[in-house]
Amino acid sequence: MQIPIEISARHAHLSKSDLEILFGPGFELTKLHDLSQTGQFAAKEIVELVGPRGPLDGVRILGPVRAQTQVEVSETEARHLGLNPPVRDSGNLDGTPGVKIIGPKGEVILKQGVILALRHIHINPATAVEIGVKNYDRVKVDTSGTRDLLFENVLVRVDPSFKLAMHIDTDEANAAGIDADNHVGEIIVP
Amino acid sequence: MQIPIEISARHAHLSKSDLEILFGPGFELTKLHDLSQTGQFAAKEIVELVGPRGPLDGVRILGPVRAQTQVEVSETEARHLGLNPPVRDSGNLDGTPGVKIIGPKGEVILKQGVILALRHIHINPATAVEIGVKNYDRVKVDTSGTRDLLFENVLVRVDPSFKLAMHIDTDEANAAGIDADNHVGEIIVP
């Protein structure tokens, strides 16, 4: 089955309390544009990160707010910051490094929450049944082009709200030559 | 067959004339350390690149000098520079973008020569016969770990001087989770 491949650039999900520290009491995120997954959006707001080795600016906030703050960067960006985050699925933050987050109204010293996102696919229950996978399975996704590769160990996330899409980070997209002209993969169920 | 995977960070190969413009007449490169391939070395010398969008410093010169100047960056770095170089094998530079190179003694406006390196393996003739490949064939290389993937479309370069090694760039290494603890792949001949 073919699947659209979407590239996740560096971004942060914020808790309500961290949002208010960074942007002020009672602040609400402003939608820049919807993302492919229902209810998720890119906000106009951006923050700066400061790690032990250097800063990283232009980190977009994705909404809505979440229970805990989570920062997703590429390995390239993590090295620039001087951090060594593990590859994790979303929300699995125990033992991950922290980082300083700077907003227009304040700073948050995040104790943990920086990850490299585990490559994954979003799929709805009907399509999951159709191809024979369930939540938390692993599949492979084959790409094409000059930098043709096969992503193995791709996490499957199933939810009725999901639209079929694979999410990879910028390093993975660059390594696979994924861009506006080449952004469809083939799901391979082991 | 197992193969060591080596990561090529951004670097430049210089022609003798460009070397002399950047570092001065009669200048000779100083060896920092040998590379895995016989006769190749990382020089102590570095240059800065300036593209239409921004600069990129700390670009190491690899020696010895070559017939034509060639600059190899990752896609991440190319975007930073504001360039859109193609994926090419070494030396195949027709139609590639140029860049300004700044050295301690002068500047070169390179007309063409910036590439994303085509992932490739170095192999000697005896080993090539053993696994059934020849120069310019394509093979696959399987990696392991959390970011397990299969590199397809891997160029085979055969030469008596070559030691067995795969070369990938930093985006590819980050996408595959290749590092000091995880740097061996398995060659798969189609």
Side-chain angles (χ1 to χ4, degrees):
Chain A
M1 174 172 286
Q2 286 200 323
I3 185 168
I5 301 176
E6 299 176 350
I7 305 167
S8 298
R10 60 183 181 274
H11 64 271
H13 305 275
L14 297 178
S15 68
K16 183 160 174 27
S17 62
D18 285 346
L19 175 68
E20 294 196 344
I21 293 170
L22 295 167
F23 291 92
F27 189 84
E28 303 268 351
L29 290 170
T30 320
K31 186 184 292 187
L32 178 65
H33 61 79
D34 286 315
L35 298 175
S36 68
Q37 301 308 316
T38 311
Q40 303 296 304
F41 62 91
K44 288 184 179 167
E45 288 75 22
I46 57 174
V47 292
E48 181 181 9
L49 306 179
V50 181
R53 193 173 170 205
L56 184 68
D57 61 14
V59 178
R60 176 126 350 248
I61 307 302
L62 302 192
V65 294
R66 290 193 177 184
Q68 56 184 351
T69 294
Q70 173 174 308
V71 176
E72 300 178 40
V73 296
S74 70
E75 174 73 17
T76 299
E77 292 157 348
R79 285 168 189 267
H80 182 80
L81 287 163
L83 299 177
N84 188 25
V87 177
R88 289 285 178 85
D89 56 320
S90 193
N92 180 9
L93 305 182
D94 280 358
T96 62
V99 73
K100 183 198 276 192
I101 308 176
I102 302 178
K105 294 290 175 63
E107 300 181 0
V108 168
I109 306 292
L110 190 68
K111 289 280 198 297
Q112 64 174 28
V114 182
I115 63 171
L116 311 181
L118 181 61
R119 55 179 80 128
H120 59 278
I121 66 172
H122 293 267
I123 188 168
N124 69 43
T127 311
V129 167
E130 184 185 340
I131 66 170
V133 298
K134 57 186 191 306
N135 204 17
Y136 294 111
D137 276 358
R138 303 289 172 118
V139 295
K140 302 180 183 187
V141 175
D142 196 19
T143 68
S144 56
T146 306
R147 289 193 142 178
D148 191 8
L149 55 75
L150 176 70
F151 287 113
E152 306 188 71
N153 213 14
V154 179
L155 180 68
V156 175
R157 294 307 312 274
V158 182
D159 190 273
S161 73
F162 286 169
K163 291 186 180 159
L164 190 66
M166 178 180 190
H167 286 175
I168 59 177
D169 75 11
T170 49
D171 284 341
E172 293 174 313
N174 292 338
I178 300 299
D179 58 22
D181 299 320
N182 181 32
H183 52 86
V184 175
E186 181 76 23
I187 303 176
I188 296 173
V189 179
Chain B
M1 175 174 286
Q2 286 200 323
I3 184 167
I5 301 176
E6 299 175 351
I7 305 167
S8 297
R10 61 184 180 273
H11 65 271
H13 305 276
L14 296 179
S15 67
K16 184 163 175 24
S17 61
D18 285 346
L19 176 68
E20 295 197 343
I21 293 169
L22 294 167
F23 291 92
F27 189 85
E28 302 268 351
L29 290 170
T30 320
K31 186 184 292 186
L32 178 65
H33 61 78
D34 286 314
L35 298 175
S36 68
Q37 300 308 317
T38 309
Q40 304 295 305
F41 63 91
K44 288 185 179 167
E45 288 76 20
I46 57 173
V47 292
E48 181 181 9
L49 306 179
V50 180
R53 194 173 168 206
L56 185 68
D57 61 14
V59 178
R60 182 140 326 265
I61 307 303
L62 302 191
V65 294
R66 290 194 177 183
Q68 56 184 352
T69 294
Q70 173 174 309
V71 175
E72 300 178 41
V73 297
S74 71
E75 174 73 18
T76 299
E77 292 157 347
R79 285 168 189 268
H80 182 79
L81 288 163
L83 298 177
N84 188 24
V87 177
R88 289 284 179 87
D89 56 320
S90 193
N92 180 8
L93 305 182
D94 281 358
T96 61
V99 72
K100 182 198 276 192
I101 308 176
I102 302 178
K105 295 289 176 62
E107 299 181 1
V108 168
I109 306 292
L110 190 68
K111 290 279 198 298
Q112 65 175 27
V114 181
I115 63 171
L116 311 180
L118 181 62
R119 57 180 78 129
H120 59 277
I121 66 171
H122 293 267
I123 189 169
N124 69 44
T127 312
V129 167
E130 184 186 339
I131 66 171
V133 297
K134 57 186 191 307
N135 204 17
Y136 293 111
D137 276 358
R138 303 288 174 119
V139 295
K140 303 179 183 189
V141 175
D142 196 19
T143 69
S144 56
T146 305
R147 290 193 142 178
D148 191 7
L149 56 74
L150 176 69
F151 287 113
E152 306 189 70
N153 212 13
V154 179
L155 180 69
V156 175
R157 295 307 313 272
V158 183
D159 189 274
S161 73
F162 286 169
K163 289 183 182 163
L164 190 66
M166 179 180 190
H167 286 175
I168 59 177
D169 74 12
T170 49
D171 284 341
E172 293 174 313
N174 292 338
I178 300 299
D179 59 21
D181 298 321
N182 181 31
H183 52 85
V184 175
E186 181 77 22
I187 302 175
I188 297 173
V189 179

